[in-house]
Amino acid sequence: MRIGSNTRLLAVLGDPIAHSLSPIMHNAALAALGVDAVYVALRISPDEFSDTFHTLGTLGIAGNVTVPHKEAAERDVMRKTDLCARAGACNTYWVEQGALVGDNTDVPAIAAELTELGVTGGRWLVVGTGGSARATTLAAADAHADLSVHSRNAGRAREFADWASALGVNARVAEPPYTADVVVNATPLGLAASDPLPIDPASVRGIRAALDLVYRPGATRWIRELQSTAIPARDGRGVLVRQGALAWERFFPEHPAPVEIMRAAVERALRA
């Protein structure tokens, strides 16, 4: 990869960020298509996010946003798509005429993964209350699903259920005994092998499918436990590729996203 004075810079912003495979995925695509650009990961603390985000916008740097900055990014962009505004979370941004523009490509990516898992409506249980949980809620709304939210913080769970209800979703705080057709882990739990399970699969009755938005080599322990009981379950690699391909179309509208190249790069990295 050659970097010159005309090389375009893109970045994914998060904290932590070392786990992100977005640079590997996007740089593989850039190399394959011969696009003069480079994609990097930037660790930015919550206290520094807003100032850094606006500085990147001033420099014309586009990219993605991950945990825990998606909600802050939605507040900071100057213009946003309807999907970004509805979700209250931004995971993709770029610059138009000097203004930061935000979108949410997580929503269609999550919806597509769940569709492939055979999920259509029913009862959804989302674990978490951050930006990824918000994207999952919009996917639930479009699927006309009932939603329950599980969080270690009862107050945040209540606020999140109220927010989802205001969108027209039949939402409530999850209470034991838990019952759900599909469970989505929208927390960072699972990034480290020593992390506790986001929720014990044995505590949820009726699971037909599960989606973990976290990915790691060998899959997360939560996904392995679900699969050991013959429950169809996927980790976050598919969502990563799908949202990345949609984001690419915002960054490089003149170049169709090389989806299979992006997918292969992610699979290689997770086998390493």
Side-chain angles (χ1 to χ4, degrees), residues 53-186:
F53 192 45
H54 285 293
T55 298
L56 293 175
T58 300
L59 296 173
I61 297 171
N64 296 103
V65 182
T66 188
V67 176
H69 303 313
K70 294 179 183 181
E71 293 164 271
E74 188 273 338
R75 294 191 294 268
D76 283 347
V77 293
M78 296 180 68
R79 298 203 303 273
K80 63 195 76 172
T81 65
D82 177 66
L83 200 55
C84 179
R86 286 175 62 211
C90 166
N91 79 310
T92 299
Y93 69 94
W94 64 96
V95 180
E96 290 182 0
Q97 299 177 334
L100 275 168
V101 183
D103 196 2
N104 192 307
T105 61
D106 282 336
V107 177
I110 291 168
E113 282 290 292
L114 289 172
T115 296
E116 283 199 355
L117 279 168
V119 174
T120 53
R123 301 160 300 177
W124 294 23
L125 171 62
V126 61
V127 184
T129 57
S132 296
R134 285 172 171 259
T136 301
T137 299
L138 261 66
D142 292 341
H144 306 289
D146 294 336
L147 183 76
S148 56
V149 56
H150 175 78
S151 173
R152 290 176 293 182
N153 185 313
R156 283 186 61 85
R158 180 71 265 162
E159 291 175 3
F160 189 92
D162 289 345
W163 168 80
S165 297
L167 292 178
V169 180
N170 184 17
R172 63 181 180 83
V173 175
E175 297 179 352
Y178 306 117
T179 302
D181 298 303
V182 59
V183 184
V184 179
N185 175 34

Side-chain angles (χ1 to χ4, degrees), residues 25-26 28-30 32-33 241 245 248 255-264:
M25 176 178 68
H26 281 289
L30 293 168
L33 296 186
V241 173
W248 172 283
H255 298 290
V259 178
E260 292 311 314
I261 289 171
M262 299 168 82
R263 191 185 313 279

